[in-house]
């Protein structure tokens, strides 16, 4: 069975994607900071009959990243890394004139530096896989200028560029930056707590990610909603 590491997998998109992969027969190594919630997500994914390893920790910790990759190796391979764990930099989001530099550093550390660190740790196994793949979860805030989203958007724009360069440097891999579009998640609620508008559940965009894995288009930046609209 193919093996995936999914970060930020205790809830929201990470949990939904983990369950979607498990339904397709993927073995999983799941990461999140809160052990209790992560274990619940692991049980839900494991109910589909695949092997699931839950490792609580912080992706900004190099030792934890090494533990995630070692766990994948223990399952036999590593075919997919999904960098989904994200930090906003400020909760709720604020304009740039009020964004603490420490908040921006925290967003960059989680969203960019940790994502690169995980890929660096995983590259030997990914290169050995016949279908080695990296997915970084992006945002429309990486490409559009939205008030108060400057720090978070800047970190996701940096992540997009990191993925684009990785794709050039590692032509044997598929490297996709995926913008999932609007979703009703705890992260969004923390970012904009006063927004009353309903948003799609994360489960609604998972088929777009799965379609990428099925069709394996060239490395690049994709929007999950557009992938769904393009489905036959």
């Amino acid at each position: 069975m193919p093996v995936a590491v999914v970060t930020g997998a205790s809830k929201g998109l990470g949990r939904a994607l983990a369950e979607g992969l498990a339904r397709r027969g993927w073995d999983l190594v799941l990461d999140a900071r809160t052990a209790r919630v992560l274990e619940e997500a692991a049980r839900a994914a494991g109910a589909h009959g695949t092997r699931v390893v839950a490792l609580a920790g912080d992706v900004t910790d190099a030792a934890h990243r090494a533990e995630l990759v070692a766990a994948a190796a223990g399952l036999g391979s590593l075919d997919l890394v999904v960098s989904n764990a994200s930090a906003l930099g400020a909760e709720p989001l604020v304009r740039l004139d009020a964004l603490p530099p420490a908040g921006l550093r925290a967003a960059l550390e989680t969203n960019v530096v940790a994502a690169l660190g995980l890929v660096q740790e995983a590259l030997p196994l990914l290169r050995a896989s016949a279908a080695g793949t990296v997915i970084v979860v992006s945002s429309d805030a990486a490409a559009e200028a939205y008030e108060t989203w400057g720090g978070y958007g800047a970190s996701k724009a940096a992540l997009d560029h990191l993925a684009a360069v990785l794709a050039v440097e590692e032509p044997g891999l598929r490297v996709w930056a995926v913008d999932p579009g609007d979703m009703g998640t705890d992260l969004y609620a923390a970012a904009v707590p006063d927004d009353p508008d309903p948003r799609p559940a994360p489960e609604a965009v998972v088929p777009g990610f799965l379609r990428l894995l099925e069709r394996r288009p060239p490395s690049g930046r994709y929007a999950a909603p557009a992938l769904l609209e393009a489905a036959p």
Side-chain angles (χ1 to χ4, degrees):
M1 288 187 178
V3 178
V5 170
V6 183
T7 67
S10 62
K11 52 190 175 180
L13 177 61
R15 175 169 177 165
L17 183 56
E19 290 197 45
L21 291 169
R23 291 190 193 99
R24 300 293 181 96
W26 286 73
D27 290 332
L28 301 170
V29 178
L30 305 182
D31 146 90
R33 288 179 295 178
T34 306
R36 177 185 57 80
V37 184
L38 178 62
E39 287 162 5
E40 293 173 0
R43 283 194 294 271
H48 298 286
T50 60
R51 296 176 294 173
V52 180
V53 178
L55 295 173
D58 192 325
V59 291
T60 65
D61 179 359
H64 176 60
R65 296 194 297 267
E67 187 181 20
L68 294 173
V69 174
L75 293 175
S77 66
L78 180 53
D79 307 284
L80 169 64
V81 170
V82 181
S83 285
N84 171 67
S86 294
L88 290 168
E91 297 182 10
L93 294 177
V94 295
R95 290 164 51 96
L96 288 175
D97 61 7
L99 178 64
L104 177 58
R105 281 192 291 270
L108 291 168
E109 190 69 30
T110 298
N111 303 350
V112 185
V113 178
L116 175 58
L118 181 57
V119 166
Q120 290 173 333
E121 189 74 34
L123 270 176
L125 291 176
L126 291 170
R127 288 167 176 158
S129 168
T133 302
V134 175
I135 295 177
V136 300
V137 177
S138 185
S139 167
D140 56 346
E144 301 291 340
Y146 301 131
E147 187 174 357
T148 76
W149 288 84
Y152 178 79
S155 72
K156 290 295 186 176
L159 181 63
D160 282 359
H161 193 68
L162 181 151
V165 173
L166 180 66
V168 172
E169 294 177 347
E170 298 289 337
L173 304 182
R174 288 292 191 272
V175 184
W176 300 314
V178 182
D179 172 8
D182 277 347
M183 296 182 295
T185 63
D186 287 355
L187 187 78
Y188 185 82
V192 191
D194 298 328
D195 187 348
D197 293 338
R199 280 174 163 73
E203 291 79 5
V205 303
V206 167
F209 286 81
L210 298 178
R211 187 156 289 117
L212 279 174
L213 292 168
E214 291 168 0
R215 299 181 177 179
R216 298 189 61 78
S219 296
R221 191 178 194 277
Y222 294 87
L227 291 168
L228 295 174
E229 291 171 4

